[in-house]
């Protein structure tokens, strides 16, 4: 294992994935945080914007144009979609490894990406070397990756829930339903009316039923697991939590199996996937602030519909925590380094 | 239309359905509230327990044993399951009409009821005369009913969402999925740990996946709509709202149809079902405090899965409001009397 | 009493005070809502923005420049500060009466107003004819007023709490403390980061301790009650409620008195001020959605500090409801017309 | 410094202070958790009750009667008031050191304690050797203490806020006001109606204005700081947070001083008290999950009223975290051992 500290930069540190990266990296023993950029807040001490970091982070935001990212060992992009791809080629050439927490490198098919994200991809030739950073699926490729596409929050919860069933060929891949509920921090720290406290509080709604950007990302992953194309209905909902995703997944069983055993075996060696005992119902708060995914599998009334319940903290296993998990894998640190954070309950 | 006031009694007025009945009846022009009972709180002025009613309700809770329910025109039971059935026969004999907001008369098959509710039914011979009080389905029978079984909250949202599709035979009744989310008031006003603010707040979970008491009630209703037996997977969830149910319903289309037109036509004359424009996503807060059900129908990606979004306030259209709607129908008042309450938003 | 309907216009209907005015006026028997303007949303049906109003409000927002406000009997301004004052002179000249829900006419001293609001007043000559619309203080002047300055939310809760004590000269006016807590809707429906759900949720903070715009408004009112200048420390806080203000008021008693009797007597004839029994603690939810102010007065440990607890719904008694109350007074309707809305609890 | 692990027991581990102790101790490098008792849950694995602890705590609850507490180096009592005092003598005799998170040993005057807690004290003779565990005040005595009375949550926030002012004699001790707001977890994990989600959610209220048990505890501390008796008005409020206390403190200045400098100097060497820059408003979420107290001092309008804002997480610095801080001091560990938990924001 590597023991000296690596130099890490963060591009775009003013959003929730940025502050969450800082929370985790602040006490990571193998990381020296050397630069954090923000176009709008250059010069401002990070802890002035996020007082929770007082005493932990002494850096100020720096102007992206003047920041020496090239001297970093690793750069995290905690930026809106479409930013990372504009700097990736140059940084990779400089020998910097990259983890993009946005969506620029998550989808292998350029046309699909451009359709859903509504822009031209800046470096389609790099897609083939980008590794999709879901460690439970791609650990070996992540180890040597120069460029990691950190999965989306919904895609993490949904893929981990369906994975054992699809890999084992137990459910009909044509009729998959993912009914997912997200806390409001999943929408980011943008000043938008619909996520105001007085709008999103004491309220519940579905959104994007006609089509959400995470649909092609999830479909791509499920297709890889199933080894054939899948039919997925994905309905996201906004629920008045700050943090947390709860995915309720429905599949049609096409053969008998020990579902509980299947899940336990598939994740037996995964530090951050916890299969609950039979009959359990995971709560989002049981993973609050932690990198854990907790899963339960049910077969109501003994029928042929399997129901999987999968919960994560969207900002940790669904974003910054998984990014640090990927970093640990890439740099040969123990995979749980800096991630043994006990969930905050209540 | 009847114009003189009817005498109304409420048995069990200390829970949320009780106080909600009071909120609505307090300003109902055709109701004289004559008695409200509570075993535990006899003698206490109602407005001492619920200060929101100060100035509107002058009654005190009375001892059930000493209350003159027999002189009422109508008695609402806002009691736990198993209470109403013990007094029904006597009250009906006395000429009192009854609306039970609990589950005692919701399921026609006694064996099914006794299995799910874990007790022996006290008056199975009355089940056949009980009318299931979903006005959009059974309005004519409700008019003449002496005994109305007011539907459960989940069953109301789910049945109104599936009804047009099943009546028209457009979806496969064997593969119905109802993923439902409820605010915490749906669990009642009981001192239980799991619904404490510090437990249910900032938290989301499924529960009862193996089987929930509303499953047989919903199945019975859907079977009636479809004209044949149905296969339903019902997964309820607890979400940190005070009020509101959001049902997300999934069905498999088996023929082409104008879904939007179907829903609009089916509910064209229903005052309390509002079909939203194509592409809309109803929010629970858009019905907060009101007797409205709002519904949107989607067909994501033009595939063969239909998604229906149905929202109600669980305490109003899902309980007390629907009970008053049933009362209005039974006594010949305009169906919306006392129910033109504009939803509270934000 | 006047019985025919009056024509009412609303300028600026897209904020929370606007939608709240609509919720109340929608079922007001003496109002014909004839125009509602919005610069940004002209042409949009009001109910498309606020689905809670579907079935109640058929109007669309109209362009302020093209709206015939002059033919209204009354115009409400539910606009940001500084807008109403630009149209007031013209409308008054046209014989239109005005209720401004913003702050343009709340402070009689122009210099003070300009200092706190940071702009030049457009019509200082009209200030003297503006009536401060706190009915419990100024009912007689409101009756004949052409121009009413509707009080702010904090000022309503604080003034009603201190009024009996100051009028009776029972407390030292030099040492008044108002520790006030507001729900987030008080900040309006503006897309600002600090009122996002993920910022204001599960969080509590003071703000504006150095000075808040409601300070001079409150001081002016308290000075009028006391008949001499007052010394007030006012600390507002943001609490994770949607609606509600709770003011905790502290004063130093300078003589003995029957405090409970004093409050009950002062408000005996006030429909919208409810003095709770001795020892009570009013809850904000006990007035949710209603025009009620509930007050309790305490003297902890029998010492010489009096503590008054005063709660209102900031959008109703603290804004739109009080505006309608003022309208009722101005036009000779019963003061509670359209305002007998039972609070929504839970 | 001591380096070997100490054996620790917890009596009463099913409440919020218990699970919070477990969250912190689970990863404390110098603690071996050897026993945790619960009368009601003996035999149940701790992580079955609190799934957040899965993978961190393997212990099961044990029957208090059969638990070997005497072999522990330290026992925490996370029990209701009145339990610890019944076992203290025996454990002290056995050489076990004790930290009581309840109130049994917080008040030196037995008569006062018995009046406020409504029971006879079981071991008044031990009160004189009990050390009040506020490290910023009593660090030296804590080092050698056998019995530590861990402060209450409100008392911690209030005392740390007033301490610099009273020690310096800058404010009139006769007119102190503490307006304090607590999240709902402060009421504990008891099944009581008033702290249900549907009761405490979207609601704000004061309580205990006539007298709260923390009043004599705070008064005792403030008296010690001032060196003379104090007059305190203490009004607690319940706010819809899960965690967090915000104390707003008011005092009357009796001489000029550099308030900001005073606070910064007083707490310069305190790891867990953070004085914010001038003009700041601390948020409860800025300390969520951490042992930090953040304080800001204001002098509104330059008048003679000083306003101090003080926030803590009631379960950490207000309970379990402070208890661990005391443990660290008692056993010679670095005071921040196991307590460098970055606050969870958002």
């Amino acid at each position: 294992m590597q023991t000296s500290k690596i130099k890490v930069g963060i591009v775009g540190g003013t959003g929730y994935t940025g502050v969450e990266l800082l929370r985790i990296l602040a006490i990571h023993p193998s990381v020296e945080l050397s630069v954090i950029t923000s176009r709008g807040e250059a010069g401002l001490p990070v802890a002035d914007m996020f007082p929770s970091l007082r005493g932990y982070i002494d850096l100020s935001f720096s102007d992206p144009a003047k920041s020496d990212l090239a001297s970093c060992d690793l750069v995290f992009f905690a930026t809106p979609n479409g930013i990372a791809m504009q700097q990736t080629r140059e940084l990779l050439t400089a020998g910097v490894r990259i983890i993009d927490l946005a969506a620029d490198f998550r989808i292998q098919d350029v046309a699909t990406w451009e359709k859903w994200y509504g822009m031209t991809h800046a470096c389609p030739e790099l897609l083939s070397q980008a590794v999709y950073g879901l460690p439970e699926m791609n650990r070996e490729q992540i180890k040597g990756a120069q460029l990691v596409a950190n999965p989306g929050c919904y895609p993490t919860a949904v893929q981990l829930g369906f994975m054992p069933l699809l890999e084992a060929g137990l459910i009909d891949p044509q009729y998959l339903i993912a009914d997912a509920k997200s806390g409001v921090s999943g929408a980011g720290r943008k000043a938008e009316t619909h996520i105001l406290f007085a709008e999103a509080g004491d309220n519940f709604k579905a959104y994007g039923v006609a089509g959400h950007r995470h649909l092609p990302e999830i479909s791509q992953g499920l297709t890889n697991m199933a080894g054939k194309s899948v039919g997925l209905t994905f309905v996201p909902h906004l629920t008045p939590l700050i943090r947390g995703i709860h995915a309720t997944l429905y599949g049609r069983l096409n053969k008998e199996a020990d579902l509980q055993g299947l899940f336990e075996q598939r994740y037996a060696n995964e530090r951050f996937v916890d299969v609950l005992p039979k009959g359990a119902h995971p709560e989002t708060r049981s993973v609050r602030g932690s990198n854990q995914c907790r899963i339960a599998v049910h077969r109501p009334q003994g029928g042929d519909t399997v129901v999987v319940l999968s919960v994560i903290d969207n900002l940790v296993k669904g974003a910054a925590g998984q990014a640090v998990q990927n970093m640990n894998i890439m740099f040969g640190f123990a995979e749980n380094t800096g991630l043994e954070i006990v969930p905050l309950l209540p």
Side-chain angles (χ1 to χ4, degrees), chain A:
Chain A
M1 297 223 175
Q2 182 170 338
T3 53
S4 67
K5 292 197 177 192
I6 60 170
K7 285 185 64 176
V8 167
I10 297 176
V11 179
T14 62
Y16 289 138
T17 52
V19 63
E20 190 68 356
L21 269 175
L22 292 168
R23 181 178 73 96
I24 297 170
L25 295 177
I27 53 178
H28 194 292
S30 305
V31 163
E32 178 199 339
L33 193 60
S34 60
V35 59
I36 173 166
T37 75
S38 164
R39 196 177 308 274
E41 304 290 350
L44 184 76
V46 170
D48 281 12
M49 173 168 278
F50 300 116
S52 57
L53 298 173
R54 284 173 62 92
Y56 290 104
I57 301 284
D58 288 331
L59 283 174
S60 293
F61 293 109
S62 63
D63 186 330
K66 301 174 186 163
S67 300
D68 182 19
L69 294 170
S71 72
C72 291
D73 296 297
L74 173 70
V75 168
F76 291 100
F77 281 88
T79 42
N81 299 318
I83 304 297
M85 65 184 182
Q86 296 172 13
Q87 302 178 246
T88 300
R89 202 182 289 116
E90 185 180 336
L91 286 171
L92 288 180
T93 303
V96 181
R97 296 169 89 176
I98 291 174
I99 297 176
D100 178 26
L101 284 83
D104 295 10
F105 300 99
R106 288 181 191 159
I107 293 179
Q108 286 295 316
D109 184 71
V110 183
T112 300
W113 189 89
E114 296 187 337
K115 172 188 153 198
W116 284 90
Y117 289 88
M119 46 183 131
T120 303
H121 203 289
C123 51
E125 77 283 5
L126 295 179
L127 284 172
S128 63
Q129 73 174 94
V131 176
Y132 188 70
L134 191 64
E136 293 77 9
M137 180 188 257
N138 297 327
R139 183 170 286 111
E140 287 310 307
Q141 299 96 300
I142 294 166
K143 285 181 182 171
Q146 300 303 307
L147 172 58
V148 165
N150 210 57
C153 49
Y154 285 127
T156 296
V158 174
Q159 290 177 91
L160 291 175
F162 272 133
M163 186 149 49
L165 295 167
L166 287 172
E167 286 178 349
L170 287 181
I171 54 174
D172 182 345
Q174 282 313 302
Y175 293 105
L176 305 175
I177 290 173
D179 188 290
K181 302 86 176 172
S182 175
V184 186
S185 66
R189 192 169 165 275
K190 298 178 295 266
E192 295 181 349
T193 303
H194 76 290
I195 51 174
L196 292 179
F197 183 88
E199 300 284 309
D202 203 45
N203 191 28
F204 189 94
K205 65 173 178 181
Y207 65 102
V209 178
H212 182 284
R213 287 170 172 184
H214 283 171
L215 176 63
E217 180 183 343
I218 300 172
S219 292
Q220 171 185 277
L222 301 187
T223 298
N224 289 341
M225 294 167 195
K228 52 185 151 181
S229 75
V230 301
L232 171 70
T233 300
F234 169 58
V235 177
H237 303 75
L238 195 65
T239 180
L241 307 175
I242 294 178
R243 289 163 177 256
I245 282 183
H246 186 292
T248 312
L249 310 176
Y250 301 88
R252 184 90 47 83
L253 284 172
N254 51 28
K255 65 183 80 159
E256 287 299 316
D258 168 16
L259 296 175
Q260 182 70 21
L262 174 77
F263 275 73
E264 289 182 358
Q265 189 173 341
R266 177 60 181 84
Y267 292 124
N269 297 315
E270 292 296 344
R271 171 66 191 89
F272 295 115
V273 182
D274 177 27
V275 178
L276 297 185
K278 211 167 173 176
H281 302 90
E283 303 182 285
T284 57
R285 65 177 186 149
S286 77
V287 299
R288 189 191 288 137
S290 90
N291 199 47
Q292 211 65 35
C293 173
R294 296 197 208 275
I295 293 181
V297 57
H298 289 257
R299 191 175 166 181
Q301 321 287 315
D304 61 359
T305 298
V306 58
V307 178
V308 181
L309 313 174
S310 167
V311 302
I312 60 171
D313 182 321
N314 55 298
L315 295 179
V316 194
K317 184 62 177 169
Q322 187 147 265
V324 172
Q325 186 180 356
N326 281 319
M327 176 193 79
N328 288 341
I329 295 170
M330 291 164 77
F331 286 88
F333 307 136
E335 195 165 325
N336 64 342
T337 309
L339 292 172
E340 291 295 347
I341 301 168
V342 189
L344 192 70
L345 177 156

